[in-house]
Amino acid sequence: MWKTRKPAFEKAGWKNAIEAREWPANDPDMSLDDARYSVIRYFASSVENAQGPRVSDPRSGEIIESHIYWYHNVMNIFKHLYAIQVGHLDKRAQKPQFEEELVGKLIRYVAAHEVGHTIGVLHNFGSSIATPVEKLRDKEYIRKYGHTSSIMEYARFNYVAQEGDGIDPDHFIPRINDYDEWVIEWGYKLIFDKANEYEESRVLDSWVKKNENNPRLWYGVEQHPYDPRMNNEDLGDNQMKANEYGIKNLKKIMPLQVEWTKEEGKNYDLLNERYFWITVQLNWYFSHVVKYIGGIHETYKKSEQDGVIYEVTPKAKQKEAMDFLRRHLFETPKWLLQKDIISRIRPNFGTDAIRGLQENFLNAMLNTGTLQRLIECNTLDAANYSADEMVDDLRKIIWSEVDARKTN
Ligand SMILES: [Zn+2]
């Protein structure tokens, strides 16, 4: 399946670990209720999701069986995201219906991610941080390493890539990568010469120790409230830099959406959905950046590992985030008010989107948790960004348009 790499299970010492077969049309001896069969079930449903739940033996943790639920419209999300994130670089995405070959590649990506869940692999929302932003534009680097070190990340398509970078569109899509191979090895490689689980766990700890400084094997939880390195839908090691490219691309594709979504005999529902997903994408960009403000890194460690667990996001980085929000959020993003789109979908959609974004992130900056962290971090070390300074900066940002009018 993956031509350039050895399957992850082979690296962990297992040959032909996963075998995929088509379910026979009429075999009375086979039943989906039979625990011996783990299947990918397709549902003709408008739900936009896919899941890979699993049933484990509570005594040993062994995964006994799993069915992946594949709702038909999950591909709808991925088609919108592909068009929004890399559509300007791939002609195949510049039309309402994608060709089967591209949809097949998107299905392969989502299916591999779901199979990852069924064999026990969690989301890794820290894996994208291992790729420096500028490397996301380097075609040789991307060919070799991909844009995220785990397929279990929500790092969809390479939205940092620009025209002229020459990246092969096949490499816009995540692949089974270094982190995934590492956790398969950690979870499945047999350890033969140890007498009990305690001795085995010491061997596992020694593997972790050996790899602790490899950023490509780093793990980040889902929905971390204040570590800006752990986000879904993000790319790269600096969200301000990465999302600057992302917004540049959104501005580029926005005026093309009436054309890209036009289908004979159809109304403007697809255009409406596409516009909605553009606002969702923008919301993600701001949510990544706002986490730098009052941000604290949390690096999981056992007591035998060196260093501390919690480290404050440097003040310069927090200021960089404030400046990003000033330029792209609080200076009205008028590019969202695209006349030929708004006049075809719904009055107020554009202004609702802008108001919603500004409200969301103003609340995020002023919520108790953010202010409390800023106060504590500045009290522990006066060099850290303070709540006073942040609120003062924010006041200047919000009133800058009014102030500018006064002086002119
Ligand atoms: Zn998942």
Side-chain angles (χ1 to χ4, degrees):
M1 189 176 183
W2 301 96
K3 287 181 206 135
T4 51
R5 301 175 78 97
K6 238 177 158 181
F9 273 95
E10 265 184 44
K11 286 195 176 172
W14 298 91
K15 270 210 154 167
N16 304 321
I18 298 176
E19 193 180 333
R21 289 197 210 162
E22 206 166 334
W23 189 264
N26 292 306
D27 185 339
D29 295 330
M30 287 183 74
S31 162
L32 289 177
D33 294 328
D34 186 331
R36 288 173 301 172
Y37 304 120
S38 293
V39 303
I40 298 178
R41 293 191 70 170
Y42 169 82
F43 297 123
S45 154
S46 59
V47 171
E48 295 185 339
N49 201 1
Q51 291 171 357
R54 56 198 175 270
V55 177
S56 305
D57 184 328
R59 296 163 300 181
S60 63
E62 181 190 359
I63 296 167
I64 301 167
E65 72 95 52
S66 173
H67 289 339
I68 290 172
Y69 306 143
W70 189 282
Y71 301 95
H72 178 81
N73 271 4
V74 65
M75 291 325 293
N76 206 32
I77 300 179
F78 287 91
K79 285 197 289 192
H80 280 302
L81 295 183
Y82 192 86
I84 287 167
Q85 296 177 358
V86 292
H88 59 300
L89 302 174
D90 188 347
K91 279 206 168 8
R92 297 173 302 172
Q94 297 171 5
K95 45 188 153 186
Q97 300 299 333
F98 288 11
E99 289 149 27
E100 209 173 286
E101 194 215 355
L102 176 57
V103 175
K105 284 175 178 164
L106 298 177
I107 288 176
R108 182 173 69 176
Y109 150 50
V110 181
H113 174 106
E114 299 306 335
V115 170
H117 283 314
T118 65
I119 54 178
V121 187
L122 302 175
H123 286 145
N124 178 355
F125 283 179
S127 75
S128 53
I129 197 91
T131 310
V133 172
E134 293 313 319
K135 293 291 180 200
L136 290 164
R137 299 189 54 196
D138 177 338
K139 67 177 176 189
E140 279 311 309
Y141 182 95
I142 292 298
R143 188 185 57 76
K144 205 165 164 194
Y145 297 106
H147 64 268
T148 176
S149 60
S150 173
I151 202 166
M152 303 310 291
E153 168 77 288
Y154 281 4
R156 312 300 186 180
F157 313 111
N158 187 351
Y159 59 72
V160 169
Q162 299 292 304
E163 260 160 355
D165 292 347
I167 295 171
D168 180 343
D170 271 357
H171 301 155
F172 291 152
I173 302 174
R175 60 182 85 156
I176 296 168
N177 217 319
D178 296 342
Y179 170 81
D180 310 305
E181 291 175 357
W182 152 240
V183 284
I184 296 295
E185 189 178 349
W186 188 90
Y188 285 92
K189 192 170 184 173
L190 290 177
I191 299 167
F192 292 104
D193 54 348
K194 299 297 169 200
N196 54 44
E197 293 86 352
Y198 176 76
E199 284 187 19
E200 280 186 14
S201 79
R202 301 315 296 164
V203 174
L204 293 175
D205 287 350
S206 73
W207 296 353
V208 171
K209 181 84 183 142
K210 198 174 71 189
N211 289 311
E212 67 182 349
N213 294 320
N214 182 347
R216 294 186 60 78
L217 307 185
W218 196 65
Y219 169 77
V221 293
E222 272 183 75
Q223 296 174 341
H224 196 289
Y226 48 76
D227 187 332
R229 300 172 301 173
M230 301 181 205
N231 288 305
N232 57 357
E233 312 295 347
D234 66 328
L235 292 181
D237 61 346
N238 180 317
Q239 299 306 303
M240 283 67 76
K241 281 188 189 155
N243 297 349
E244 192 79 44
Y245 287 117
I247 290 179
K248 189 175 162 194
N249 293 341
L250 288 184
K251 287 179 179 174
K252 203 178 287 177
I253 62 142
M254 181 69 109
L256 304 170
Q257 293 315 303
V258 174
E259 195 189 316
W260 286 11
T261 58
K262 196 173 179 179
E263 204 170 6
E264 212 180 318
K266 296 277 176 75
N267 60 17
Y268 288 107
D269 284 354
L270 189 61
L271 180 65
N272 197 319
E273 276 180 37
R274 180 62 53 80
Y275 185 83
F276 166 76
W277 280 103
I278 289 173
T279 66
V280 169
Q281 184 73 39
L282 193 56
N283 189 75
W284 285 333
Y285 290 152
F286 294 137
S287 69
H288 306 153
V289 169
V290 85
K291 270 174 85 175
Y292 283 80
I293 301 160
I296 298 178
H297 292 185
E298 181 174 9
T299 307
Y300 316 114
K301 281 179 182 169
K302 290 198 172 183
S303 53
E304 64 267 27
Q305 291 179 279
D306 295 332
V308 296
I309 292 179
Y310 297 101
E311 290 166 291
V312 180
T313 303
K315 183 174 175 175
K317 277 274 169 293
Q318 299 199 44
K319 289 273 210 182
E320 200 182 326
M322 292 293 280
D323 191 56
F324 181 97
L325 296 170
R326 175 184 66 77
R327 288 183 290 111
H328 293 297
L329 176 65
F330 293 114
E331 279 179 15
T332 313
K334 289 188 188 141
W335 60 273
L336 281 171
L337 304 173
Q338 183 79 30
K339 189 177 167 190
D340 63 343
I341 295 180
I342 298 295
S343 57
R344 286 177 170 86
I345 52 174
R346 172 168 72 77
N348 295 341
F349 201 159
T351 43
D352 277 350
I354 293 171
R355 181 179 51 77
L357 290 166
Q358 291 181 336
E359 268 177 24
N360 272 354
F361 295 105
L362 198 53
N363 284 334
M365 293 158 91
L366 294 174
N367 79 21
T368 315
T370 307
L371 294 173
Q372 216 173 320
R373 285 192 301 281
L374 286 165
I375 291 168
E376 183 176 280
C377 294
N378 178 257
T379 308
L380 293 172
D381 183 344
N384 289 327
Y385 200 29
S386 72
D388 278 356
E389 192 176 348
M390 190 280 281
V391 173
D392 197 37
D393 288 342
L394 183 59
R395 186 179 52 76
K396 284 181 198 147
I397 288 169
I398 289 173
W399 294 100
S400 64
E401 288 177 342
V402 176
D403 289 344
R405 258 174 239 148
K406 255 191 225 162
T407 51
N408 289 334

